[in-house]
Amino acid sequence: MDIPTHSTIDDLQALVHSLIDDDDEDDEKSNNKSKGIPYSFYAKIERKNGVVDEIEITNSLLDFLKEYKNLVSTEVTLQLTYQPLAVFKVRPVTRCTATMPGHTEAILHVSYSPDGQHLASGGGDTSVRFWDVNTCLPKMTCKQHKDHVLCTAWSPDGRYFASADKRGTLIIWDPHQKRKRAHKQYITGLAWEPLHLNQGRGERIVTSSKDGSCKIWNVRTKQALITLSGHTDSIEAVKWGGEGFLYTASRDRTIKVWTAKEGDVLGKMVRTLKGHAHRINCLALSTDYVCRTGPYEFAPSGRPQRIFSEESNDEDAVQKAKYQAAVERYQAFRDQQEGDGQKERLVSGSDDYTLFLWHPTSEKQPVKRLVGHQQAVNHIQFSPDGRYFASASFDKKVKLWNGYSGEFLKTLTGHVGAVYQVAWSSDGRYLVSASKDSTAKLWAIPSGKTAKATLPGHADEVYALDWSPNGASVATGSKDRTIKIWKH
Amino acid sequence: MPQHEHMERHRKLHGVRMDHEERTRKKEARLVHKRSEFSQKVHGIRAKIYQKRRFKEKATMRKTIAMHNERTNTHANDEAVAEGAVPAYLLDREGVSRAKVLSNTVKQKRKEKAGKWEVPIPKVKPVADDEMFKVMKSGKRGKKAWKRVVTKVTFCGESFTRKNPKYERFIRPSGLRMKRANVTHPELKTTFQLDILGVRKNPSSQIYTNLGVMTKGTIIEVNVSELGLVTTSGKVAWGKMAQVTNNPELDGCVNSVLLV
């Protein structure tokens, strides 16, 4: 098909829509459905060393041709492929709607519940606070911890909330307020079991600690199921993957993969991934987002697609519905991934300034070693659809990478201090980053290289960041003891 | 061995010697030496018995001392929460670049407490004109005396060029020009060598300010961009005030304190 070179993405989109309409004209329903879907376009080019790459067209064909004019000849036919994007659109956050004081020390962690209805924060004043998302007012202050609350995590079905502190204590807040000395030293990470595994019980949580061990807990029976020991140094990050594996990254430069699937032996070490030359700081999974939000999916309006009535008497039925929804969502997510990407992908960032891309479910060898950062990498997050991942580093930059091949895409510069955290909007079109320079910055993905907006206002380093799963708001927690809520 | 209580009886009847107190004190003081002499000399079964008895005595002594110490012992406070909370990803990273971190909260508190123009050296001795300037004779026979040479350290901008001799009333000698200052951050207790951007205020006279003369107590502006200070809006702060704390013309360098 001949297309003028000055055609933009919108033109291409209209073309795809009309083509798809032609294909199934008889089916009225699918017609309507396909019309709203936005697409992204990729051009196949061959690099000089013979590697075939797919490069995303961000603006118009002409711009693309100009940028790659020494690689793409204007004489040959350019092959374009299209991929569907999220229908659901998140509006960029630009202004601060609320500043919530309350904590009397630095805020170390903020997290939205998977349905986006609750916000929880943990601070250096040893309290866990719950906030009302709609009115931006405090709801509850929980003072059970005896030390700085380092991590917080909601279970994917939203039933439980866990927080862990520097003294190694784990507290599951709802419905049983039970304090447990979980570890000898401070807890570095928490991860809930994804809801679509283990028949939707979703009651297991794993904690990682500086003492070099991981523990799996059953929060319903309040038991420690197993201790995973094998690392020789502090464990810095833990993830519970969608395929039923546990991943732990440690300061001893290794990542270990453990079984946690139903029917398997719990906590058997499968393989050790070696490659990093220095302590590993963070892990990110392509399935992170879908596992975190479990059954909750959001319609374009930002309202939940399915509503699970919490007051219903038949708790089992609700739980079953949630399980069904989570399984369907996870399956849909897998189907949407392309080719090799069907496998779960893991990215690890380290103090040796590099990132590694792994296929941890099947291979021991890394897929790719990603270089470019000039300081330790502190945080990585996959976009919700798994197409990109962003890495935040102490070198004041955020780098954007292709989620499938690990190819470098863009450096986002603008921060004047170390970048601590990044968070994606749920449609994968925006990214926010929190930095030591007391600001957060909003970036449009993939077109923007400079920040779309700066979110100033904090008086000190921004430690914690989270984007609500329904896309409506961003919460930042800072050393200046306030939480700020940002909205469109 | 004494028979009956004859010692007490005698004491009751006749009292004690005048120097009794002193003698008992001395006797007691000599006791340790005596004991030590004995324990070094003794051998055989007597030594064993003596050692055992002494061991028991020492044990009780240790116990009593520990009991007395109980009152003043300091205990680890389990309930105390450490100051300065940092997230899990920054734990164990102290000392990497923490030295440059500025606590804005502390800064704000200081601001509220102190007046706006409080400076480290509040009172400055005024410098008289005849100390500041040396008359320079000019003219063919050296009888004109309208030129002045500045005798203190000065700062001239980057693009400064001297004026034509006919119009140059004040001469700032190039040997006394300074471009960099040693700036101490009062909270971080660290010193950096920073570029001078300009002279803001010389308290002695407005003329000195215009000439860029730096004497003790002068407020100068320094380039702090390499310290990584940030304003709340996220912009890098690059010009900050500092006050000169030494006499630069005597020391050959400019030392100053950052005003935060």
Side-chain angles (χ1 to χ4, degrees):
Chain A
M1 195 172 287
D2 290 337
I3 308 172
T5 46
H6 57 76
S7 47
T8 59
I9 293 187
D10 292 338
D11 301 335
L12 293 171
Q13 238 170 54
L15 184 70
V16 172
H17 284 162
S18 66
L19 286 176
I20 291 175
D21 287 355
D22 288 344
D23 286 349
D24 37 35
E25 222 166 307
D26 47 331
D27 194 351
E28 195 63 33
K29 255 186 193 167
S30 71
N31 232 348
N32 288 340
K33 217 175 172 185
S34 68
K35 210 149 235 170
I37 300 177
Y39 292 97
S40 66
F41 295 89
Y42 291 85
K44 212 170 241 180
I45 61 163
E46 197 176 332
R47 292 204 184 267
K48 289 228 167 90
N49 52 6
V51 180
V52 176
D53 256 342
E54 288 206 327
I55 289 179
E56 187 173 355
I57 297 164
T58 48
N59 204 355
S60 76
L61 273 179
L62 201 62
D63 289 348
F64 171 78
L65 290 175
K66 266 184 197 158
E67 197 174 334
Y68 293 94
K69 65 177 168 228
N70 47 355
L71 292 176
V72 185
S73 159
T74 44
E75 300 296 319
V76 295
T77 318
L78 196 64
Q79 202 175 351
L80 295 181
T81 46
Y82 65 89
Q83 264 186 32
L85 294 177
V87 186
F88 163 53
K89 252 192 178 155
V90 169
R91 290 187 297 176
V93 291
T94 46
R95 67 198 169 90
C96 178
T97 55
T99 304
M100 307 192 292
H103 279 286
T104 53
E105 258 284 347
I107 287 147
L108 306 182
H109 210 282
V110 291
S111 53
Y112 275 103
S113 70
D115 57 359
Q117 295 300 311
H118 308 279
L119 174 67
S121 64
D125 60 352
T126 73
S127 69
V128 172
R129 283 162 198 259
F130 293 89
W131 309 84
D132 192 317
V133 170
N134 298 318
T135 58
C136 296
L137 290 171
K139 225 184 212 170
M140 250 189 292
T141 307
C142 308
K143 289 183 175 165
Q144 284 276 307
H145 282 289
K146 296 274 179 205
D147 215 328
H148 308 158
V149 181
L150 293 179
C151 352
T152 57
W154 293 84
S155 74
D157 57 358
R159 277 192 306 168
Y160 302 104
F161 174 77
S163 62
D165 73 12
K166 203 176 160 196
R167 211 163 282 190
T169 310
L170 171 72
I171 299 183
I172 309 296
W173 288 100
D174 203 14
H176 318 282
Q177 290 205 354
K178 177 88 181 164
R179 198 164 70 189
K180 204 142 219 177
R181 179 74 189 263
H183 286 278
K184 284 201 196 85
Q185 277 168 311
Y186 62 80
I187 295 179
T188 52
L190 297 174
W192 284 92
E193 179 173 37
L195 193 63
H196 63 266
L197 299 171
N198 200 14
Q199 293 178 341
R201 281 199 280 272
E203 57 194 16
R204 290 193 290 183
I205 188 170
V206 60
T207 56
S208 67
S209 161
K210 185 181 153 53
D211 63 12
S213 69
C214 262
K215 282 183 185 174
I216 304 177
W217 307 82
N218 187 323
V219 297
R220 186 174 50 81
T221 59
K222 298 170 216 159
Q223 272 178 325
L225 297 176
I226 195 168
T227 305
L228 311 176
S229 48
H231 282 294
T232 54
D233 207 338
S234 161
I235 298 176
E236 297 290 306
V238 64
K239 291 276 172 193
W240 200 315
E243 302 291 314
F245 288 102
L246 275 174
Y247 310 105
T248 55
S250 160
R251 256 186 230 182
D252 64 9
R253 311 195 303 274
T254 59
I255 300 168
K256 285 187 196 292
V257 185
W258 316 79
T259 53
K261 220 179 195 165
E262 201 200 11
D264 263 345
V265 187
L266 184 67
K268 190 179 76 177
M269 197 182 77
V270 186
R271 55 185 70 84
T272 305
L273 313 177
K274 283 181 190 160
H276 279 296
H278 209 320
R279 69 183 252 194
I280 301 168
N281 295 324
C282 49
L283 289 178
L285 281 172
S286 56
T287 53
D288 262 350
Y289 179 79
V290 71
C291 290
R292 176 193 162 188
T293 48
Y296 297 96
E297 200 170 12
F298 294 94
S301 59
R303 290 227 180 79
Q305 217 145 46
R306 289 194 195 84
I307 294 174
F308 308 100
S309 58
E310 303 292 339
E311 286 85 37
S312 156
N313 294 330
D314 198 357
E315 219 172 80
D316 281 350
V318 173
Q319 200 54 29
K320 211 167 228 174
K322 281 185 179 175
Y323 170 55
Q324 276 304 327
V327 170
E328 278 169 29
R329 262 197 88 199
Y330 187 71
Q331 202 51 46
F333 175 80
R334 273 194 68 163
D335 294 343
Q336 189 204 330
Q337 305 291 307
E338 47 172 279
D340 217 17
Q342 288 241 343
K343 291 175 189 162
E344 196 167 43
R345 283 153 288 141
L346 179 77
V347 179
S348 55
S350 151
D351 257 17
D352 63 2
Y353 312 165
T354 64
L355 293 88
F356 272 86
L357 180 69
W358 315 84
H359 285 163
T361 50
S362 54
E363 290 159 42
K364 228 162 99 172
Q365 300 305 323
V367 180
K368 197 165 180 184
R369 179 168 182 258
L370 318 175
V371 292
H373 276 299
Q374 289 161 328
Q375 292 250 323
V377 181
N378 191 47
H379 192 230
I380 311 171
Q381 202 170 28
F382 262 94
S383 70
D385 51 7
R387 287 167 64 218
Y388 307 109
F389 58 88
S391 58
S393 159
F394 287 151
D395 65 4
K396 307 172 189 174
K397 293 183 185 68
V398 177
K399 279 182 193 283
L400 192 68
W401 315 80
N402 184 324
Y404 297 107
S405 63
E407 192 198 335
F408 170 70
L409 295 177
K410 218 155 246 169
T411 307
L412 311 177
T413 50
H415 277 298
V416 290
V419 187
Y420 285 150
Q421 300 271 292
V422 285
W424 287 86
S425 70
S426 40
D427 64 349
R429 290 191 182 92
Y430 295 102
L431 180 75
V432 277
S433 56
S435 159
K436 187 177 166 180
D437 66 10
S438 80
T439 63
K441 279 181 195 287
L442 176 80
W443 317 81
I445 304 297
S447 55
K449 196 165 184 182
T450 50
K452 190 173 166 66
T454 303
L455 313 177
H458 278 300
D460 219 325
E461 304 177 17
V462 185
Y463 280 152
L465 176 69
D466 200 12
W467 200 317
S468 158
N470 64 14
S473 58
V474 170
T476 54
S478 159
K479 197 180 168 188
D480 70 358
R481 306 163 183 194
T482 57
I483 299 173
K484 280 182 189 286
I485 303 289
W486 309 85
K487 285 184 180 162
H488 175 74
Chain B
M1 297 295 275
Q3 303 294 308
H4 311 298
E5 303 286 324
H6 70 276
M7 300 278 276
E8 278 76 24
R9 186 169 167 273
H10 185 267
R11 224 169 268 154
K12 275 174 189 162
L13 287 176
H14 308 289
V16 289
R17 286 173 61 136
M18 295 294 278
D19 58 349
H20 174 258
E21 300 282 291
E22 188 66 10
R23 277 160 60 96
T24 43
R25 185 189 66 77
K26 281 187 170 167
K27 200 170 184 182
E28 205 172 323
R30 264 183 236 120
L31 189 65
V32 278
H33 295 281
K34 264 198 155 166
R35 260 195 184 170
S36 135
E37 206 178 289
F38 176 74
S39 71
Q40 282 175 43
K41 187 187 72 182
V42 73
H43 57 86
I45 185 73
R46 282 180 76 213
K48 276 192 167 178
I49 292 166
Y50 177 78
Q51 245 54 301
K52 199 167 184 188
R53 201 181 71 224
R54 186 75 187 132
F55 176 77
K56 275 180 190 159
E57 271 173 25
K58 278 192 169 174
T60 46
M61 211 144 57
R62 266 199 301 272
K63 270 182 195 163
T64 15
I65 290 172
M67 247 144 67
H68 283 294
N69 276 349
E70 190 77 342
R71 212 168 356 140
T72 50
N73 276 353
T74 48
H75 296 279
N77 190 355
D78 283 346
E79 298 303 304
V81 180
E83 288 273 307
V86 286
Y89 53 83
L90 291 179
L91 281 170
D92 285 353
R93 276 195 192 278
E94 283 89 354
V96 178
S97 62
R98 298 269 100 182
K100 280 189 178 179
V101 174
L102 277 177
S103 157
N104 266 293
T105 28
V106 172
K107 221 161 50 177
Q108 268 164 355
K109 265 186 207 163
R110 285 266 172 97
K111 232 183 240 169
E112 285 157 17
K113 237 193 263 171
K116 204 182 174 193
W117 294 110
E118 202 189 28
V119 287
I121 305 171
K123 272 188 190 162
V124 178
K125 193 186 83 179
V127 186
D129 269 6
D130 55 344
E131 189 196 337
M132 179 73 81
F133 302 122
K134 201 176 77 189
V135 178
M136 189 181 172
K137 296 266 170 71
S138 59
K140 200 170 185 179
R141 288 171 193 83
K143 61 175 188 179
K144 289 176 180 159
W146 55 272
K147 283 199 176 197
R148 299 286 180 273
V149 179
V150 180
T151 59
K152 308 283 182 198
V153 167
T154 53
F155 169 77
C156 310
E158 193 85 322
S159 58
F160 172 76
T161 44
R162 288 178 64 172
K163 277 195 189 112
N164 173 342
K166 189 176 166 187
Y167 299 108
E168 193 179 36
R169 176 143 193 250
F170 295 105
I171 297 166
R172 296 182 275 186
S174 59
L176 282 173
R177 290 186 204 161
M178 302 263 174
K179 283 182 184 163
R180 291 164 80 74
N182 303 321
V183 183
T184 305
H185 194 291
E187 279 155 29
L188 299 182
K189 306 267 187 287
T190 44
T191 305
F192 309 90
Q193 198 170 43
L194 303 174
D195 286 335
I196 301 171
L197 293 173
V199 174
R200 276 295 122 146
K201 175 106 183 137
N202 189 319
S204 298
S205 163
Q206 177 64 33
I207 305 167
Y208 303 161
T209 311
N210 293 347
L211 282 170
V213 178
M214 289 183 283
T215 52
K216 189 170 180 174
T218 307
I219 310 289
I220 56 174
E221 192 172 13
V222 288
N223 185 354
V224 291
S225 59
E226 62 187 67
L227 299 192
L229 306 185
V230 184
T231 61
T232 46
S233 59
K235 304 278 188 303
V236 181
W238 64 289
K240 269 204 167 273
M241 305 301 173
Q243 188 176 34
V244 177
T245 54
N246 68 335
N247 291 311
E249 73 278 4
L250 302 179
D251 299 349
C253 63
V254 182
N255 296 341
S256 59
V257 181
L258 206 63
L259 306 178
V260 282

